[in-house]
Amino acid sequence: MASPQHLLRIKKMKNMKLQYTSRTMLFFMVLLANLSAFAQNSMVGDGFGGRAGYSPVNYSSTEQGGFSICGANNQLYGWGYNLYNQLPPAASGYYDASTIAISNMTNVRQAKGALFHTAIKNDGTGWVWGSYINGLDFPTPTQVITNAYYGDAGYVYATFVKTDGTVWTIGDNTSGVYGDGTTTTTCLGPTPCAVQMPGITNAKRVSCGRDGFALILLADGTVKQVCKINNASISPMPPSLESYTPITVPGLSNIVEVKAGPRNALALTASGQVYSWGYNYYTGLGLNNNGNSMPTLLTFPAGAKPIKAISNGKDYGLALDEDGNVYGWGNIYGPGINTTSLILTPTLSTTGVQDIIGGYSHSYIVKTDGTMWASGGAVHIWMNLSNAVRAPFTQITPTGSPMNLCAPTAFNGMPPCVAGTTAPAVTPTTATNGCPSTTVDLTSLAISSSTPSGASLIWSTHKTPTSAADTL
C-alpha cells in the first residue's frame, strides 16, 4: 500500500493547474488522439488479456499459418493453410513461402482464427471469413457486426464481444456454442448474421476452442463456458462443464485471461497463477494425469516468477513469466522443447521472450531482441525455412524473402483513442490505461504546470499498483 508521502495531491483549479507536494517518482498518462492498434495474439490495456508488463505483438497464429498487420494502412497479411478460403483472394492451396494481403482487410486492429477467421477494424466493425463443413459459407471477408470489442474463432464458428458486454456468435451450432440452449444452426452465411448469446451483458473476452467450445471472461473476473463436444474423435470436457447454455466454471475468480484449445483450457489469475482444465490428451493439461479434469492450479518449476501471459494449442500449453521465461507442456509440437517425449508438467523452454503465440500444432514466440521463433508439427508455418517438423524453437525470418513482412512490434490491440477519452483507473491487473499513452515523469515538471489541451490525467505511484489504495 502506498504511503501518504508517495501520493500526488491534486487540486482542481479554474486554470486546471496541478500542484503537488512530493518529488517522489510519480507518473501520469496523457491520452492521445487517433492512435492505432493492431492485430495480435492478445489484447491488453483494459485490465484483461494478461498481467502488467505483458506486451503482445502484431502477429497471431491460425490453423497451420498465421496473420500479421503491416504498413500505415494496417493491412492484414496471412500465410499457410488455405483450403477453405482462409486467405482470400488467393486460390486454394498452401502459402507457406509467401504472404497474401487479405481482401478488404485494411485498418485492422485484431485478427484471429483457426479455419474460420475474425477481424475487427478500427471503426469497430467485426468481420468473418472462411468456408468449411456443415455449410459454413463466408468465402470473402464479410461484415457481420458493429461495435465489436474483441473476437475469436474456431473451426466452424466465431464469437465477438461487443462494447456493451454482450456476446454474439456466427457459424455452426452443432455443439451449442450459440448458448441459447439449442443445437439449431441459423447463421452460416453468406448473408451477414450474428446470434446473441442470452444472459451475458458484462463480457470482456471470448476464446473459441477448435472443435466447438467457448470460454467467456466476464468483467467481474469469473468465467463462463458453453459447449457439448459431439465430435466422437475428441474426448469430452468434464460432464459438469458441458452445457448448451453458459455455465460458470467453478473455482475461478480474479481471472484476467482465458485460452481455449481443442479440448484444453487455461485461465490466468490477477496474481499470476494458472488454472488448467479439460481433457488431458497427450498430457495437454500439464497436470501429469489422465482423463478429464476440473480447473486445477498448475505447478511451475522452482524459481519461476508469476505468470503474465498464457497461450495454448492442440494438446499443449505455454506460459510466460515476469522474467521473460517460457514454460511449456503437453504435445511436443508447440512447447518449443527439444524432446521426443510428452511433457507431463510445465517445463522451462526458453528465455528472453516478449510474446507467446499458440497455434494448432505449432507456436510462435517473439523474443525481447525482436527475433521470431517457431515450433511445430505443422509444415506450413516456417516462412524462410524448408518445411519440416521441428520441436525446439527455431529462429525464422518474417522480414526477409520470401515473406517480406514487417518486424514483430508491440501493439496492445485496444480500440483507437479519441481526444478527451478518460482512461479507467489503474488497477492491480494493469499498469497502463485503456488507450495508448505517453508516460511523463512529474519530477521533471515545474511545481505548477497546466495540463495539455484535451488531455486527461491518470496517475499512480511509480510501482505497479497492488491495491485500490495505490490509485486515485
Side-chain angles (χ1 to χ4, degrees), residues 117-391:
H117 297 313
T118 65
I120 299 176
K121 294 192 176 187
N122 283 330
D123 62 3
T125 54
W127 299 67
V128 299
W129 65 97
S131 302
Y132 193 46
I133 59 175
N134 299 350
L136 189 65
D137 186 21
F138 289 94
T140 60
T142 302
Q143 182 186 330
V144 293
I145 207 166
T146 58
N147 299 315
Y149 186 70
Y150 190 84
D152 196 13
Y155 254 24
V156 292
Y157 77 103
T159 302
F160 289 95
V161 175
K162 280 194 168 189
T163 53
D164 62 3
T166 58
V167 175
W168 300 74
T169 303
I170 301 93
D172 181 71
N173 191 41
T174 302
S175 61
V177 291
Y178 289 1
D180 60 2
T182 77
T183 57
T184 302
T185 297
T186 59
C187 182
L188 288 174
T191 302
C193 54
V195 179
Q196 184 174 357
M197 187 174 293
I200 304 293
T201 58
N202 62 336
K204 299 299 290 187
R205 297 289 190 277
V206 290
S207 186
C208 297
R210 170 182 176 268
D211 290 290
F213 81 97
L215 302 175
I216 304 104
L217 174 57
L218 304 183
D220 63 3
T222 61
V223 179
K224 298 282 188 180
Q225 180 169 312
V226 59
C227 78
K228 280 193 177 181
I229 298 176
N230 297 314
N231 186 339
S233 68
I234 303 298
S235 300
M237 279 279 171
S240 63
L241 292 180
E242 293 209 316
S243 172
Y244 293 136
T245 58
I247 56 175
T248 300
V249 180
L252 300 182
S253 61
N254 297 315
I255 302 301
V256 297
E257 177 67 307
V258 291
K259 295 290 185 181
R263 51 204 149 203
N264 51 320
L266 296 173
L268 175 65
T269 72
S271 62
Q273 295 180 304
V274 180
Y275 284 90
S276 179
W277 71 98
Y279 191 78
N280 204 35
Y281 199 60
Y282 282 104
T283 68
L285 300 186
L287 299 174
N288 194 19
N289 63 4
N290 295 313
N292 56 39
S293 295
M294 296 295 286
T296 304
L297 277 174
L298 286 174
T299 300
F300 289 87
K305 294 297 179 66
I307 302 303
K308 62 181 179 180
I310 53 175
S311 195
N312 60 5
K314 181 185 179 184
D315 306 312
Y316 75 86
L318 294 170
L320 176 65
D321 80 3
E322 291 177 347
D323 280 350
N325 301 315
V326 173
Y327 299 89
W329 60 91
N331 189 338
I332 65 173
Y333 301 120
I337 296 171
N338 189 14
T339 181
T340 58
S341 302
L342 296 176
I343 307 159
L344 304 181
T345 58
T347 301
L348 181 65
S349 172
T350 190
T351 61
V353 173
Q354 175 180 343
D355 198 9
I356 49 176
I357 308 166
Y360 178 50
S361 55
H362 73 283
S363 68
Y364 295 119
I365 61 169
V366 174
K367 293 202 170 189
T368 53
D369 63 5
T371 59
M372 191 167 180
W373 303 64
S375 164
V379 297
H380 305 293
I381 66 166
W382 291 104
M383 299 189 180
N384 61 302
L385 300 183
S386 61
N387 277 331
V389 173
R390 299 176 176 93

Side-chain angles (χ1 to χ4, degrees), residues 79-145:
W79 63 92
Y81 195 66
N82 185 45
L83 296 187
Y84 304 104
N85 295 308
Q86 296 102 314
L87 302 176
S92 179
Y94 299 93
Y95 294 83
D96 44 17
S98 61
T99 56
I100 304 298
I102 307 299
S103 301
N104 197 26
M105 281 290 106
T106 57
N107 299 311
V108 174
R109 67 176 178 86
Q110 290 181 36
K112 302 180 74 174
L115 291 182
F116 198 40
H117 297 313
T118 65
I120 299 176
K121 294 192 176 187
N122 283 330
D123 62 3
T125 54
W127 299 67
V128 299
W129 65 97
S131 302
Y132 193 46
I133 59 175
N134 299 350
L136 189 65
D137 186 21
F138 289 94
T140 60
T142 302
Q143 182 186 330
V144 293
I145 207 166

Side-chain angles (χ1 to χ4, degrees), residues 31 322 396:
L31 306 187
E322 291 177 347
I396 55 178

